Amino acid sequence: MKKFNFRKVLDGLTAASPVGSSGGGSGSGAGGSVHPGGTAGAAGTPREEIQETLTSDYFQICKTVRHGFPYLPTALAFDPVQKILAIGTRTGAIRILGRPGVDCYCQHESGAAVLQLQFLINEGALVSACADDALHLWNLRQKRPAILHSLKFNRERITYCHLPFQSKWLYVGTERGNTHIVNIESFILSGYVIMWNKAIELSTKTHPGPVVHLSDSPRDEGKLLIGYENGTIVFWDLRSKRADLRAYYDEAIHSVAWHHEGKQFMCSHSDGSLTLWNLKSPNRPFQTTIPHGKVQRDGKKPESCKPILKVEYKTCKNSEPFVIFSGGLSYDKPCRRPSLTIMHGKAITVLEMDHPIVDFLTLCETPYPNEFQEPYAVVVLLEKDLIVVDLTQSNFPIFENPYPIDIHESPVTCTEYFADCPPDLIPVLYSVGAKHKKQGYSNKEWPISGGAWNLGAQTYPEIIITGHADGSVKFWDASAITLQMLYKLKTSKVFEKQKVGEGKATAEIVEEDPFAVQMMYWCPESRIFCVAGVSAYVIVYRFSKHEINTEIASLEVRLQCEVEDIITPEPETNPPFPDASSQLPSLKSLSGSTNTVACEGTMKDSIPCLSVKARPVRMPPGYQADLVIQLVWVDGEPPQQITSLAVNSAYGLVAFGNCNGLAVVDFMQKTVLLSMGTLDLYGSSDPYQRQPRSPRKSRQFAADNFCMRGLSNFYPDLTKRIRTSYQSLTELSDSPVSLELERCKSPTSENRENSFSRSRSSSVSSIDRDSKEAITALYFMESFARKNDSAVSSCLWVGTGLGMVIILSLNLPASDDLRQSEPVVVSPSGTVLTLKGAVLTFACLDCMGTLTHQPYEVWRDPHSADDGDKTRKRKLVMHSPSSSQDMGDHQFAVICSEKQAKVFSLPSQTCLYVHNITETSFLLRADVVTLCNSVCLACFCANGHIMTLSLPSLRPLLDINYLPVTDMRIARTFCFTNEGQALYLSSPTEIQRLTYSQEMCDNLQDMLGDLFTPVETPEAQNRGFLKGLFGGSGQAFDREELFGEATAGKASRSLAQHIPGSGGIEGVRGAAGGVIGDLTRARIALDERGQKLGELDERTASMMASAEAFSKHAHEVMLKYKDKKWYQF
């Protein structure tokens, strides 16, 4: 065998990133230097250095799109011409929705709750009023809306806003009861103010309360209806600056709605009543009804109900008007759900909702308030849902919602993201998911249809998978920055339903959400899907297009850390890996037979947490359970939750681990191959030379609490079951006492302390180190299992919470024919590598630096009709298509822990590169991803930094402080994928997608939807001669003349402060591509020029007026003194 030195081969790889200390790996040295002396198994010649193509220019962080239901919604608005909808939230966010694909998210910098939203109808602008008493004008004529102007009120609190159609003057009501007027174009307050004390009668001694309603009369724009909270209504004449009429009601007003003719209006009140008022007789309402109140027998007023929070009064040309309101239900039915009531003629329909109603809007055919409204739909904004009701059909069906707003139907517990997956997957998943669609929706088109959306340049398929608290798993099509649900899988269906009250008596370890999905593993090529649940079980699913009826195969596994029960050290009594002949029978007896529960001695021993269905089960097309593996109770101790999961279709194996040890199961033969404590996996290779010992129980609990400050907080019920993979959310250091305990432990304590301090910077209790070493990462790979192996073989890489990497050899049957009958043997290779911190991820690069794909079996339908004989050969792909069939004589193993990344050369096991990623924090997620036909390591750190490192040299390419981890939800759901994409759950109801690719940042403008599209405003109906003559004020109302500075004067400067926004500049930048950019720039330039010309014009006019006044004054003086003698002066 020919040997050669790697020094020359790897000279080009020495430019490693700076490093503080080595991770103590076999053959590793200080910072990134190359360690020669590794030998290759096969003959070869020195290769050229690996050219890394990625540089920092390829990377840039930016948010792309936010999916899901707006979290904590507060306000709703609709543009009836553009047909776009806006939703404001308690966190200061605004979501603008149009046709499917048009979905825009914007955020107020202050984070103040949005109180109200008002569209400038068909103008491409939106006004938001926030809880910090600021008004903002948003420009929607760009793909990413920006604020053009802001106006901050200093002395008064905003309670209500109203912007009449085609007006540039916004009415603003305040808590003090005053009404101010704002010019929308300049965002400056008019000097015209309607003071509360002028609006009410002089004889009234009490304050009317805040303004709760403002609207102009549909009949006369010069009349303003003001509703005060205490029940006072004032009809104000804007021209004469006095109240035309006043009305009083003894119940508080919540909302007011006009009849389109402007002669009547309706109010909703706090006692559940609706009052109808006529302008000709304002002394009392001419109709009062309590729609849900019980009629009293003795003819008294019906009993009061809950407040009617909002009412809308909409007229139709060919039928009775619609009266639609929220609330108003009877108090004697406390359990009734929130409801929307639709009164149409004499028919009353009550629509019960699943969540409280935040707001609703009636969508009408016309934007003009003085025409028949012809309502066709009602948009109802609920606390956790958005529904649209079709008013054109008598049974009021709802529209099928095209937006992905049901992500949170059950709380999301984990996410996975796959970019550039096989193109046939999306149609296949959609075809099996479409069969479960609900019936009974309206057959009309979705009415919120505004905006424009195109596919953009990005064409590769993307799939997002979300796991949920109720055990459901949803597959979403995420291509081209949209989101659409493809398929829903309910994992809880493999288990028997728990009877009420039975949970405490059985073996459940989780009282709430026992089916919650904790981890998912998906192989898109083989379509094998694997789920780990919170109740310590793993389900392996296979995909089939055919429905089947079958029993669910299940296995039970004992996986308990026995080290605590041994008092006398007997390290070599039982070899950890028995030979193949004794292995299978002994492990079968360990695992227990299928569907059998053995209760020996104690009540809870060998009992799984949940019961798998024993009867044959109908499985529809899609993912069908192939095998359920459950961890069982051991001697009264519950099974620990699963911390790592991997499956490989080519090998037919699934591996999973927890803080006690590792289990490997053959899902083809349905047998347990390995069920072993973490310590036993090392065999004689344990670098810590641990002594098995009895535990100190009191100290153990302290250790548990200590660890609970780590990332095990992701799972709120993990008080006892500790995930030691992440023990350092807040960096912890041991007290001197525990370090003393450490030193007194064993004769080899000094060596152990040194090795441990290298492997973890944040320490945990000494006993916890001994007994709780969680399996945190698993990876099946064709690799060199031992030093100086001559060929690759099937391996399982195992990473632990102490930074140890153990390689296990997998001895698979030589031919496919024997795979179902011959046993698979799992044995130790003796290879142990070390890193600092818990191991997070593995990857393998071939000798050219290309990412090596894990072996997989090409998908075939397990229940295909043409598959008569089951002996059909499996088609296996053992190497990635991008690399050559010959794997070459060496590989690069990439291993990343929560503290550092290392690249090893195999089979020499030389540590080529080390990069200490963080000293003061730790990584939450690390993934090896492809970008621009190259490969890099992407990391997300608990301090909020997103970093990328080149491979194999681990050069830092990107390090941006993106997002401080304020919530465990972010840490639990953050994931990277190929092509520079990533996502996380930004709120309980929303997924935030982002990119770290410069190319995608550059192309983002083309991919985003347009919110504003040029649409002609519909013409107003011809009112006819007689109606114009007798039907109201024919006098044109000039608001400019009334509210402008010339007439009304200037408002007090201390009342409100004008803040210019950055929307104009951002608008140019945002639309910087092509004609739109030119038009936008030209438009803004024209606006600026027009503004300057306007200012010049005003200045000229002012100078002319001044000159004229001077001339007039001079002439008068001349006339006065013209005929006087000199001595008369």
Side-chain angles (χ1 to χ4, degrees):
M1 200 180 282
K2 192 174 176 185
K3 291 188 177 182
F4 65 92
N5 197 299
F6 266 77
R7 184 186 291 275
K8 192 166 184 182
V9 179
L10 302 165
D11 266 350
L13 303 176
T14 53
S17 47
V19 61
S21 64
S22 153
S26 162
S28 67
S33 57
V34 176
H35 309 285
T39 53
T45 54
R47 287 171 175 73
E48 293 175 18
E49 62 183 58
I50 291 172
Q51 292 291 329
E52 291 180 3
T53 56
L54 291 179
T55 63
S56 56
D57 297 337
Y58 283 77
F59 296 92
Q60 174 64 45
I61 295 273
C62 85
K63 290 180 180 178
T64 52
V65 68
R66 185 172 290 210
H67 302 297
F69 182 74
Y71 184 53
L72 302 173
T74 52
L76 186 65
F78 183 71
D79 186 325
V81 179
Q82 286 289 319
K83 296 199 183 308
I84 54 174
L85 187 80
I87 300 172
T89 75
R90 203 180 298 169
T91 57
I94 298 175
R95 282 283 287 285
I96 303 166
L97 303 167
R99 67 175 67 247
V102 177
D103 184 343
C104 178
Y105 166 83
C106 25
Q107 175 74 45
H108 291 95
E109 278 183 24
S110 66
V114 177
L115 297 179
Q116 204 179 341
L117 295 170
Q118 287 265 307
F119 276 104
L120 277 67
I121 294 172
N122 205 24
E123 292 291 333
L126 175 74
V127 174
S128 60
C130 295
D132 61 350
D133 306 306
L135 295 170
H136 307 278
L137 179 66
W138 294 84
N139 178 13
L140 308 185
R141 290 176 180 250
Q142 54 196 61
K143 293 195 173 185
R144 286 193 182 272
I147 291 174
L148 291 167
H149 298 282
S150 297
L151 188 67
K152 177 90 168 65
F153 280 75
N154 298 323
R155 299 202 304 248
E156 298 201 49
R157 309 221 64 181
I158 298 169
T159 54
Y160 195 88
C161 298
H162 169 64
L163 180 67
F165 178 46
Q166 293 181 326
S167 164
K168 68 171 187 177
W169 297 94
L170 174 76
Y171 301 112
V172 181
T174 69
E175 199 173 48
R176 288 189 185 176
N178 301 326
T179 302
H180 299 277
I181 299 166
V182 178
N183 184 321
I184 287 295
E185 289 175 355
S186 61
F187 240 59
I188 291 170
L189 267 180
S190 163
Y192 192 115
V193 186
I194 305 167
M195 303 300 282
W196 68 270
N197 54 350
K198 298 274 176 34
I200 63 168
E201 281 183 316
L202 294 173
S203 58
T204 310
K205 291 177 181 174
T206 54
H207 190 281
V211 174
V212 293
H213 177 83
L214 291 167
S215 60
D216 52 339
S217 164
R219 205 169 175 214
D220 182 357
E221 294 172 344
K223 305 284 175 71
L224 184 70
L225 190 75
I226 308 169
Y228 294 96
E229 192 180 64
N230 74 346
T232 302
I233 297 158
V234 175
F235 196 47
W236 184 264
D237 187 328
L238 292 162
R239 298 183 193 86
S240 61
K241 300 183 185 179
R242 62 181 179 79
D244 263 12
L245 61 88
R246 298 179 180 92
Y248 300 95
Y249 193 69
D250 54 4
E251 291 291 341
I253 291 176
H254 282 283
S255 72
V256 183
W258 279 101
H259 185 282
H260 82 273
E261 288 179 349
K263 296 174 184 175
Q264 298 172 1
F265 60 87
M266 185 179 283
C267 301
S268 73
H269 300 278
S270 55
D271 64 344
S273 64
L274 294 173
T275 55
L276 194 59
W277 300 77
N278 197 315
L279 291 181
K280 288 182 179 175
S281 53
N283 297 330
R284 59 191 176 86
F286 79 84
Q287 187 181 317
T288 303
T289 53
I290 300 183
H292 293 298
K294 282 187 179 174
V295 180
Q296 307 290 348
R297 287 182 183 172
D298 50 6
K300 286 184 185 174
K301 183 183 166 188
E303 64 179 34
S304 60
C305 294
K306 294 175 184 174
I308 293 179
L309 300 174
K310 182 173 182 179
V311 66
E312 295 219 329
Y313 187 21
K314 302 296 180 186
T315 51
C316 305
K317 201 167 192 175
N318 300 317
S319 71
E320 296 285 326
F322 278 90
V323 175
I324 303 165
F325 61 87
S326 61
L329 294 180
S330 174
Y331 279 108
D332 66 352
K333 293 178 182 172
C335 297
R336 276 191 76 169
R337 295 191 291 178
S339 297
L340 185 81
T341 304
I342 301 172
M343 296 167 66
H344 188 218
K346 291 182 179 177
I348 297 181
T349 307
V350 179
L351 304 177
E352 291 194 339
M353 305 294 168
D354 292 332
H355 309 285
I357 296 171
V358 175
D359 198 359
F360 73 89
L361 283 174
T362 309
L363 310 189
C364 300
E365 296 289 354
T366 176
Y368 295 94
N370 58 353
E371 297 177 357
F372 279 105
Q373 297 297 286
E374 304 296 349
Y376 59 91
V378 183
V379 179
V380 189
L381 177 64
L382 308 177
E383 269 186 12
K384 293 183 179 177
D385 203 357
L386 177 77
I387 65 165
V388 183
V389 181
D390 185 352
L391 292 179
T392 61
Q393 296 179 46
S394 57
N395 59 338
F396 303 131
I398 64 168
F399 288 87
E400 186 174 7
N401 198 319
Y403 309 133
I405 60 168
D406 56 347
I407 291 169
H408 62 287
E409 189 178 13
S410 170
V412 176
T413 51
C414 56
T415 56
E416 292 296 336
Y417 190 6
F418 298 86
D420 210 6
C421 45
D424 59 334
L425 274 173
I426 287 174
V428 161
L429 286 167
Y430 184 78
S431 68
V432 293
K435 290 168 186 169
H436 305 295
K437 293 235 169 167
K438 291 178 187 172
Q439 303 300 315
Y441 289 116
S442 168
N443 52 11
K444 298 275 178 72
E445 287 285 315
W446 179 251
I448 304 159
S449 55
W453 178 76
N454 58 348
L455 266 170
Q458 184 183 317
T459 52
Y460 52 83
E462 296 171 73
I463 290 177
I464 292 171
I465 309 177
T466 53
H468 299 264
D470 64 353
S472 60
V473 174
K474 292 179 181 177
F475 290 77
W476 305 83
D477 175 7
S479 310
I481 68 170
T482 61
L483 197 70
Q484 183 184 8
M485 191 158 94
L486 295 171
Y487 173 67
K488 182 177 177 180
L489 170 67
K490 294 179 179 175
T491 65
S492 58
K493 287 199 168 179
V494 304
F495 299 107
E496 297 286 2
K497 282 184 181 173
Q498 292 292 324
K499 290 172 186 168
V500 181
E502 198 183 90
K504 305 280 189 294
T506 60
E508 276 194 38
I509 54 171
V510 183
E511 288 173 16
E512 286 183 18
D513 301 318
F515 308 114
V517 177
Q518 204 167 355
M519 305 185 90
M520 301 178 293
Y521 194 101
W522 190 43
C523 175
E525 289 80 13
S526 64
R527 302 188 190 172
I528 292 273
F529 182 61
C530 207
V531 165
V534 76
S535 298
Y537 61 82
V538 170
I539 311 174
V540 181
Y541 286 91
R542 287 180 182 272
F543 188 85
S544 173
K545 294 179 182 177
H546 303 277
E547 182 179 308
I548 55 162
N549 264 298
T550 184
E551 284 194 16
I552 300 165
S554 68
L555 289 172
E556 287 162 13
V557 178
R558 272 173 91 89
L559 193 58
Q560 206 67 11
C561 195
E562 305 293 346
V563 70
E564 296 183 11
D565 303 321
I566 303 169
I567 297 171
T568 318
E570 296 178 30
E572 295 301 321
T573 312
N574 296 314
F577 288 87
D579 59 279
S581 58
S582 65
Q583 188 172 351
L584 281 167
S586 66
L587 286 168
K588 274 187 179 173
S589 64
L590 256 182
S591 64
S593 59
T594 307
N595 297 330
T596 311
V597 175
C599 298
E600 299 162 10
T602 56
M603 173 62 189
K604 290 183 184 175
D605 187 60
S606 303
I607 309 172
C609 301
L610 302 167
S611 305
V612 177
K613 288 178 179 172
R615 61 187 183 280
V617 177
R618 184 188 78 84
M619 296 184 187
Y623 274 106
Q624 299 166 347
D626 190 49
L627 176 65
V628 180
I629 309 152
Q630 289 184 279
L631 295 181
V632 295
W633 288 65
V634 178
D635 299 328
E637 282 290 311
Q640 305 292 294
Q641 288 180 348
I642 290 159
T643 55
S644 56
L645 175 69
V647 67
N648 190 282
S649 55
Y651 302 160
L653 302 179
V654 59
F656 58 93
N658 61 13
C659 62
N660 285 333
L662 172 72
V664 182
V665 172
D666 181 340
F667 63 80
M668 292 178 74
Q669 294 186 25
K670 312 284 191 281
T671 55
V672 182
L673 303 179
L674 181 75
S675 167
M676 190 169 281
T678 314
L679 305 188
D680 298 329
L681 291 172
Y682 292 102
S684 56
S685 312
D686 185 1
Y688 293 157
Q689 301 157 18
R690 274 169 271 236
Q691 301 290 319
R693 36 201 257 106
S694 74
R696 300 171 207 167
K697 285 291 177 192
S698 59
R699 189 78 180 87
Q700 183 67 45
F701 289 129
D704 286 0
N705 294 332
F706 201 75
C707 293
M708 276 311 297
R709 276 184 272 172
L711 272 192
S712 46
N713 279 324
F714 283 3
Y715 311 99
D717 46 345
L718 264 187
T719 344
K720 277 185 168 181
R721 297 168 292 286
I722 294 161
R723 178 175 178 184
T724 47
S725 58
Y726 307 115
Q727 291 162 340
S728 47
L729 184 57
T730 52
E731 279 301 306
L732 304 170
S733 57
D734 270 347
S735 63
V737 180
S738 58
L739 286 173
E740 284 303 312
L741 280 168
E742 168 96 20
R743 291 193 183 92
C744 304
K745 217 160 18 187
S746 68
T748 56
S749 62
E750 282 304 309
N751 299 335
R752 288 189 49 195
E753 190 184 337
N754 292 339
S755 66
F756 193 81
S757 66
R758 280 207 311 274
S759 83
R760 283 191 74 82
S761 66
S762 62
S763 312
V764 280
S765 147
S766 56
I767 288 177
D768 215 49
R769 287 176 208 157
D770 281 342
S771 59
K772 301 278 187 189
E773 183 175 3
I775 307 293
T776 58
L778 295 165
Y779 190 69
F780 287 103
M781 196 59 234
E782 293 286 295
S783 183
F784 298 95
R786 294 170 186 82
K787 224 175 194 182
N788 305 329
D789 269 6
S790 58
V792 293
S793 59
S794 304
C795 298
L796 172 61
W797 289 61
V798 181
T800 78
L802 296 185
M804 310 303 293
V805 177
I806 306 157
I807 303 177
L808 304 181
S809 286
L810 308 173
N811 192 353
L812 296 155
S815 69
D816 194 51
D817 303 337
L818 302 172
R819 179 64 186 86
Q820 291 289 355
S821 52
E822 291 287 311
V824 176
V825 181
V826 183
S827 56
S829 65
T831 300
V832 177
L833 308 171
T834 61
L835 285 89
K836 231 197 300 188
V839 178
L840 295 182
T841 194
F842 297 106
C844 196
L845 310 181
D846 64 16
C847 54
M848 304 305 292
T850 308
L851 185 64
T852 308
H853 200 295
Q854 288 182 299
Y856 63 89
E857 175 191 358
V858 177
W859 178 77
R860 56 176 184 158
D861 198 323
H863 309 295
S864 177
D866 59 352
D867 184 21
D869 57 316
K870 289 282 176 185
T871 56
R872 188 171 56 150
K873 272 205 160 190
R874 299 161 71 224
K875 186 180 175 186
L876 305 183
V877 178
M878 300 308 282
H879 311 302
S880 64
S882 59
S883 65
S884 59
Q885 278 303 100
D886 173 25
M887 287 290 285
D889 47 20
H890 74 281
Q891 289 177 325
F892 300 102
V894 181
I895 309 171
C896 185
S897 76
E898 61 181 13
K899 290 287 182 184
Q900 67 177 188
K902 284 188 177 184
V903 174
F904 292 90
S905 176
L906 300 179
S908 68
Q909 295 176 16
T910 306
C911 179
L912 299 176
Y913 298 102
V914 185
H915 180 66
N916 284 337
I917 296 167
T918 175
E919 290 294 342
T920 54
S921 186
F922 66 106
L923 293 188
L924 297 164
R925 180 83 184 209
D927 291 293
V928 174
V929 292
T930 56
L931 178 71
C932 301
N933 299 316
S934 194
V935 63
C936 65
L937 174 66
C939 309
F940 177 53
C941 195
N943 61 14
H945 283 251
I946 290 178
M947 294 164 274
T948 59
L949 304 172
S950 70
L951 289 176
S953 67
L954 298 178
R955 283 180 298 107
L957 298 171
L958 172 80
D959 186 350
I960 287 183
N961 187 3
Y962 169 74
L963 175 85
V965 182
T966 51
D967 198 314
M968 285 301 152
R969 187 190 317 105
I970 297 168
R972 191 178 66 237
T973 56
F974 199 102
C975 52
F976 295 99
T977 187
N978 299 330
E979 308 303 333
Q981 306 246 48
L983 67 79
Y984 60 94
L985 224 68
S986 56
S987 75
T989 61
E990 294 166 292
I991 288 174
Q992 177 68 57
R993 285 164 70 179
L994 59 137
T995 181
Y996 49 96
S997 154
Q998 179 69 58
E999 185 186 3
M1000 190 166 174
C1001 287
D1002 294 341
N1003 296 332
L1004 190 58
Q1005 285 297 328
D1006 299 331
M1007 298 165 70
L1008 294 170
D1010 287 297
L1011 294 172
F1012 180 80
T1013 49
V1015 179
E1016 284 289 324
T1017 303
E1019 286 187 16
Q1021 288 175 7
N1022 191 350
R1023 300 185 69 205
F1025 173 73
L1026 289 173
K1027 209 160 194 180
L1029 196 62
F1030 304 111
S1033 165
Q1035 184 184 345
F1037 175 58
D1038 188 353
R1039 290 189 181 94
E1040 183 69 43
E1041 187 186 325
L1042 206 56
F1043 304 143
E1045 197 178 304
T1047 312
K1050 286 186 178 179
S1052 166
R1053 282 190 179 181
S1054 60
L1055 185 61
Q1057 176 192 355
H1058 176 254
I1059 306 158
S1062 57
I1065 305 149
E1066 282 183 24
V1068 173
R1069 233 180 255 145
V1075 182
I1076 300 167
D1078 298 337
L1079 284 173
T1080 311
R1081 279 192 290 272
R1083 185 191 167 96
I1084 287 169
L1086 276 171
D1087 285 351
E1088 286 172 357
R1089 186 167 173 238
Q1091 200 175 336
K1092 283 173 184 168
L1093 283 170
E1095 286 171 9
L1096 185 66
D1097 200 28
E1098 281 172 19
R1099 215 174 290 154
T1100 310
S1102 167
M1103 285 170 73
M1104 279 176 72
S1106 173
E1108 200 175 318
F1110 179 76
S1111 162
K1112 193 177 175 185
H1113 185 66
H1115 187 66
E1116 282 171 1
V1117 169
M1118 185 268 292
L1119 288 173
K1120 187 177 178 182
Y1121 297 109
K1122 185 174 137 185
D1123 299 324
K1124 290 194 178 183
K1125 305 290 181 192
W1126 63 269
Y1127 48 80
Q1128 290 176 319
F1129 284 108

